[in-house]
Amino acid sequence: MSKLVIVGTVAFDAIETPFGKTDKILGGAATYIGLSAANFNVDQAAVSVVGGDFPQEYLDLLKDRNVNIEGIEIVKDGKTFFWSGKYHNDMNSRDTLATELNVLEHFNPVVPQNYRDAEIVMLGNLHPLVQLGVLDQMTKKPKLAILDTMNFWMDIALDDLHKVIKRVDVITINDEEARQLTGEYSLVVAARKIHEMGPKYVVIKKGEHGALLFHNDHMFYAPALPLEEVFDPTGAGDTFAGGFAGYLASTGDISFENMKNAVIYGSTLASFCVEKFGTERMVSLKEDEVNIRLQAFKNLTQFDIDLK
């Protein structure tokens, strides 16, 4: 079992979809990643910051899921990062209604001492300089550094983003972001260009259309499991990343062949995340449910054919 360090937001979200709306609920990249990775036997720690308004019950929830919270700084006189969004009817596009950085604006991550030798580091979506700050604190080069980022950082901090991309082994971004980062429409060409920036592995997420994994001239595709209803896509990408990183940490095998399994696990866990608002579904998730859905994934993608 490998140690896993997660850096990202622990936050409040307020979400509106065609199925309803919520008041402030638990959210944040590190939250979804940690809850997803908790489905594996992993020694994991979250590195983040919250304000004095953040409920103890949410911190206890993470602890109960075996997420070490020593690295979550509490700024007692500060307010927790808050995001509010409204999804369109297609559930793929959304409008951001509010973004309040609050304590995140001056966040300097501190990795707990006994996790600075972690084999796997999952850099959740934050400013590239914060992500670099975490890598700089590691006492040895991680076996695998995984980066998640978004188009916002490409718009305002591209030079810093290139610095962190150069230092990671895996990048996970969506198709729109891959095209923006490289200027290439073809995702195969885009993945090749991203390889040249540093990462050995490129994961391009395509939402309801699955995910692609690239490594040199090798390519793997995992579909998304067709679902009857999608209530809330918030956190699905982070849940995917948590499943991907958690599986690799639990197996200790970072080969391309095993990364295929990690992509499947990530996709499977993300398919649960979207079934309820916020983190609700991930909190109630049971191991047998995951196994049943993994079998459904296997049935969806495997076939026998005679090749002449």
Side-chain angles (χ1 to χ4, degrees), residues 152-213:
F152 179 71
W153 307 119
M154 298 173 199
D155 293 335
I156 72 161
L158 185 59
D159 288 346
D160 293 327
L161 180 58
H162 275 293
K163 288 175 188 173
V164 71
I165 288 175
K166 193 173 183 179
R167 291 180 57 182
V168 300
D169 305 289
V170 184
I171 184 171
T172 70
I173 52 176
N174 68 31
D175 46 358
E176 177 190 349
E177 293 156 354
R179 288 173 174 133
Q180 179 175 339
L181 183 61
T182 63
E184 298 288 348
Y185 185 80
S186 163
L187 295 179
V188 176
V189 178
R192 189 182 307 129
K193 280 202 169 182
I194 296 171
H195 278 315
E196 292 168 1
M197 297 176 189
K200 302 185 205 64
Y201 304 91
V202 177
V203 178
I204 299 179
K205 299 171 288 186
K206 293 167 57 65
E208 64 180 325
H209 302 296
L212 288 156
L213 169 67

Side-chain angles (χ1 to χ4, degrees), residues 237-284:
D238 295 315
T239 301
F240 173 92
F244 181 84
Y247 177 79
L248 293 174
S250 68
T251 60
D253 178 357
I254 60 169
S255 66
F256 179 74
E257 289 303 313
N258 201 46
M259 279 195 191
K260 293 179 183 179
N261 295 330
V263 168
I264 294 294
Y265 265 98
S267 298
T268 300
L269 291 166
S271 75
F272 286 106
C273 177
V274 303
E275 291 182 336
K276 300 280 187 182
F277 278 111
T279 60
E280 184 181 348
R281 189 67 178 95
M282 299 309 295
V283 169
S284 66

Side-chain angles (χ1 to χ4, degrees), residues 4 6 31 54 62 67 69 94 108 120 132 140 163 212 221-222 232 272 275 287 300:
L4 170 65
I6 298 162
T31 303
F54 196 74
L62 292 171
V67 179
I69 61 170
R94 70 187 183 191
N108 289 310
I120 296 185
L132 283 168
K140 64 177 184 180
K163 288 175 188 173
L212 288 156
Y221 170 71
D232 174 20
F272 286 106
E275 291 182 336
E287 184 179 359
L300 178 71

